Amino acid sequence: MSERLRTLSLHAISVIVGLVIVVPVVFALLGGFKDNFQLANNPFGLPSPWIPDNYVEIIGSGTFWRELFNSTMIAVATALIVVGVAALASFVFARYAFRGRELLFLFFTIGLMFPFAVAILPLFILLRSMGLLDNPLGVILPQAAFGLPVTIIILRSFFRAIPGELEEAAILDGCTPFGFFWRILLPMARPAIATVSVLAIVASWNNFMLPLVVFNDPSWWTIPVGVQQFQGQYADESAKVLAYVVLAMVPALAFYAIAERQLIGGLTAGSTKG
Amino acid sequence: MDRSLRRRRLTDRITIGLFLLPALVLFGLLVITPILLAGYTSFFRWNGFGGLPTDFVGLDNFIRLFDDPIFLGDLRRGAILLVLSVTVQMPLALGLALLLNQKLRGRALYRVLFFAPYVLSEVITAVLFTMVFSPNRGLANQLLTVVGLGHLNSTWLSDPSTVLYSVFLVMTWKYFGFHMILLLAGRQNIPKELHEAAATDGAGGWQTFRHITLPLLAPTIRISLFLAVIGTIQLFDLVWVLTGGGPLHASETMAVTMFQYGFQRFEVGYASAISITMFLISLFFAVLYQRFVLRRDLEGAMTNMGAQR
């Protein structure tokens, strides 16, 4: 009996926490189908009548799709660069002994301590002098640079686990170091590569401060910048803003549904090794 | 043999150099250079235009910082958020991690659900909660009214006395799942035999928690705390979109103050001094954390062995 009571209370707690997460999202989803009058007088009920105009209008406008495209392009490019560059470096950190290796590795790991907030001002000035403002590279390259520490830490520990005999054999068979890296190591490291790619994509997708200062031109805006600007523009049309927020959530949640394992694996690996 | 060995040495050298080059260039140019530049400009009065700053003012910016009521307020508000994180968010995350470690139907679903807010960007979360906390059409007030607590209705984000706590609520909503996932991973790395042995010895639930679960989770808890500290020091996106730091600076954080001075008032030298101070505070906690962990290395080694898979 007490066992059943315990299970019941555990379930109750889980359901309550679940509700705290779900209710605001459902409120937004339904709110997008209402008008201001309904929002004020019927906040919880189903919309009556259902007004799909807000969603239809946003989906029908080019702005939302352009922001989606920008976010996607910047995230994919960031991931490609950071994973490529970090994989090369991690390979050397994991499999070669040389003077100053640990110091150099420490140099990268200290980078974990540098958040965008600390560097954003000089970074902005640097990008301005390089002519990279209002240019997607002005977001992609710094994001890749700031993503290096965590990516190198995770990949290095993975590359270390691959037996050295494999490399000896490949070299004896006339494989160059790059050949071994490209043809044998990377394919073997596919799970780790997937993990760090997912981390880089999520970080880029959610980044706000950098695109906010780099992109003056609305045609480059990513989803976070777009959502923030939309909120300012339609401050007194709550239903419209709610609809925009809901649509902006969809890609992130869809990606989470697909890549949940890599994301959670990456976060726990990244912080237990860091 | 000797010659081939020497050749091998040379190819190794070339490989090391070539493979490290892209990472060094990217990291050096876009991470290290900006940090050094921030340090340099913090000693100048500068509006951020033209070449390099020339108006050297020594430590004036830093002296001004500790006379600046807004910055001192940032420190106080940061401390409040930190204390709240440690006393409210962490126990919540730990409790739920232990709960989801039990045999519970639908456990996997709960785990996915609790972690979901972490995936949403800070900006989306902030806009969503602007609506939730909106004074008349907002979900929060409507909910309170429905359950008969209408007298608790508040203007949440536009009242200086409640705004910081509202920000904290949103932080917790978004981040508790992340800490829960970390702690859950840590908990699952504790060898089963230990808890089985405790059960055989007739240890009660509290005793087991106190003498086995908690000590063995300590390294993970420390990481979690450390990440919460760093996250709080650098809090920007959520606050910027929710409140912009207002009303009357009541929800302003160091990063928000830095951003306003740098990008809106063009006091780049002063803003850099704030950046550097932020960095030094982060560094202080990092060193503290390292010392803490190194001293307890043996204790952590046991659980970390599980994590090194």
Side-chain angles (χ1 to χ4, degrees):
Chain A
M1 188 62 223
S2 76
E3 186 55 33
R4 274 194 54 194
L5 197 68
R6 212 178 123 257
T7 317
L8 207 65
S9 58
L10 291 186
H11 270 294
I13 296 169
S14 306
V15 168
I16 289 167
V17 175
L19 280 176
V20 170
I21 289 168
V22 170
V23 166
V25 177
V26 172
F27 160 78
L29 178 69
L30 295 179
F33 285 105
K34 296 174 181 176
D35 52 25
N36 283 346
F37 177 78
Q38 286 189 57
L39 272 178
N41 296 299
N42 168 25
F44 306 118
L46 292 175
S48 77
W50 290 72
I51 309 168
D53 297 9
N54 291 319
Y55 288 107
V56 172
E57 195 182 319
I58 294 163
I59 291 175
S61 84
T63 315
F64 178 73
W65 294 104
R66 195 183 52 231
E67 285 164 7
L68 189 63
F69 173 80
N70 290 342
S71 273
T72 308
M73 174 197 64
I74 287 171
V76 170
T78 301
L80 279 175
I81 293 174
V82 73
V83 174
V85 171
L88 286 170
S90 307
F91 172 66
V92 170
F93 279 131
R95 316 195 67 84
Y96 285 84
F98 55 94
R99 214 177 312 138
R101 183 182 71 174
E102 292 312 304
L103 202 69
L104 210 53
F105 183 69
L106 185 72
F107 170 73
F108 279 107
T109 44
I110 283 177
L112 281 174
M113 291 292 315
F114 300 150
F116 269 113
V118 170
I120 190 84
L121 270 169
L123 193 59
F124 173 79
I125 289 158
L126 209 64
L127 292 170
R128 190 179 63 197
S129 64
M130 290 156 85
L132 286 178
L133 295 185
D134 275 340
N135 178 334
L137 283 176
V139 172
I140 293 167
L141 293 175
Q143 282 184 168
F146 276 83
L148 280 175
V150 92
T151 315
I152 287 178
I153 289 169
I154 295 178
L155 286 183
R156 178 204 192 196
S157 68
F158 193 91
F159 289 166
R160 271 185 161 173
I162 289 172
E165 293 83 18
L166 210 69
E167 193 170 355
E168 292 302 321
I171 302 274
L172 282 178
D173 289 345
C175 203
T176 61
F178 185 78
F180 170 77
F181 169 79
W182 186 251
R183 282 204 298 270
I184 300 170
L185 193 71
L186 281 191
M188 283 185 80
R190 208 167 284 159
I193 298 282
T195 295
V196 289
S197 305
V198 166
L199 287 184
I201 286 171
V202 170
S204 164
W205 191 269
N206 293 342
N207 197 351
F208 172 63
M209 210 190 230
L210 190 64
L212 178 71
V213 301
V214 170
F215 296 140
N216 246 328
D217 175 358
S219 64
W220 285 118
W221 284 351
T222 55
I223 287 180
V225 181
V227 168
Q228 191 232 359
Q229 301 288 344
F230 194 89
Q231 182 203 19
Q233 197 181 336
Y234 295 101
D236 44 7
E237 296 193 58
S238 309
K240 221 195 233 327
V241 176
L242 288 174
Y244 208 93
V245 164
V246 170
L247 289 172
M249 278 182 195
V250 171
L253 291 176
F255 185 71
Y256 173 49
I258 298 166
E260 183 237 349
R261 265 194 41 231
Q262 283 84 0
L263 182 65
I264 289 179
L267 288 171
T268 46
S271 28
T272 43
K273 294 199 177 70
Chain B
M1 189 62 221
D2 193 41
R3 241 175 73 195
S4 73
L5 196 73
R6 214 176 310 153
R7 223 182 54 217
R8 173 80 197 273
R9 265 242 184 78
L10 189 68
T11 32
D12 276 2
R13 282 237 167 107
I14 293 170
T15 307
I16 291 167
L18 281 179
F19 277 41
L20 283 177
L21 192 67
L24 287 173
V25 169
L26 195 61
F27 196 70
L29 187 68
L30 293 174
V31 180
I32 302 297
T33 309
I35 300 275
L36 295 178
L37 267 175
Y40 183 75
T41 44
S42 65
F43 295 111
F44 290 82
R45 188 179 300 117
W46 190 39
N47 63 8
F49 295 101
L52 278 173
T54 51
D55 187 3
F56 184 80
V57 294
L59 288 172
D60 278 9
N61 287 326
F62 292 94
I63 293 164
R64 181 181 152 192
L65 263 187
F66 290 94
D67 270 339
D68 184 342
I70 296 172
F71 180 77
L72 294 174
D74 290 344
L75 292 179
R76 194 173 48 84
R77 285 181 290 270
I80 291 173
L81 287 176
L82 213 63
V83 169
L84 285 172
S85 282
V86 173
T87 52
V88 178
Q89 188 180 335
M90 287 296 145
L92 177 76
L94 180 60
L96 288 170
L98 295 178
L99 188 154
L100 291 190
N101 191 49
Q102 313 263 349
K103 284 192 174 56
L104 198 67
R105 206 173 313 136
R107 185 169 69 169
L109 175 74
Y110 288 133
R111 204 190 60 189
V112 169
L113 185 64
F114 294 174
F115 186 70
Y118 182 74
V119 185
L120 299 175
S121 74
E122 277 83 355
V123 177
I124 289 178
T125 308
V127 173
L128 175 63
F129 276 89
T130 312
M131 298 294 161
V132 168
F133 288 134
S134 129
N136 37 15
R137 286 197 288 273
L139 180 68
N141 283 348
Q142 304 263 21
L143 263 177
L144 287 173
T145 310
V146 167
V147 296
L149 295 170
H151 59 280
L152 289 178
N153 268 217
S154 154
T155 50
W156 305 104
L157 297 174
S158 40
D159 178 344
S161 65
T162 53
V163 65
L164 197 60
Y165 302 102
S166 308
V167 168
F168 174 71
L169 278 179
V170 181
M171 275 171 77
T172 304
W173 188 87
K174 180 157 165 42
Y175 294 115
F176 87 91
F178 169 74
H179 295 288
M180 181 198 78
I181 289 283
L182 283 191
L183 293 164
L184 186 60
R187 173 63 185 81
Q188 286 168 344
N189 277 328
I190 298 177
K192 273 200 179 57
E193 300 78 31
L194 292 172
H195 283 86
E196 281 162 8
T200 322
D201 293 346
W206 169 247
Q207 277 180 308
T208 314
F209 173 76
R210 177 78 192 71
H211 296 290
I212 295 179
T213 316
L214 207 54
L216 286 172
L217 261 184
T220 318
I221 293 174
R222 277 198 291 271
I223 286 167
S224 199
L225 282 177
F226 174 65
L227 292 174
V229 169
I230 297 291
T232 308
I233 292 169
Q234 294 148 10
L235 188 67
F236 174 82
D237 297 6
L238 267 183
V239 175
W240 188 254
V241 180
L242 267 175
T243 64
L248 305 171
H249 305 290
S251 62
E252 200 160 313
T253 63
M254 264 185 287
V256 170
T257 310
M258 179 277 299
F259 195 88
Q260 283 175 342
Y261 275 110
F263 290 100
Q264 292 175 342
R265 303 192 194 176
F266 301 112
E267 295 193 38
V268 175
Y270 187 52
S272 294
I274 301 177
S275 294
I276 292 297
T277 311
M278 216 164 24
F279 174 62
L280 291 176
I281 296 173
S282 304
L283 197 65
F284 167 78
F285 278 105
V287 170
L288 202 72
Y289 169 77
Q290 283 292 354
R291 294 292 298 268
F292 218 60
V293 170
L294 290 179
R295 208 174 314 144
R296 289 180 166 69
D297 225 342
L298 278 178
E299 192 184 307
M302 205 162 163
T303 34
N304 270 338
M305 267 172 356
Q308 296 293 351
R309 264 170 313 160

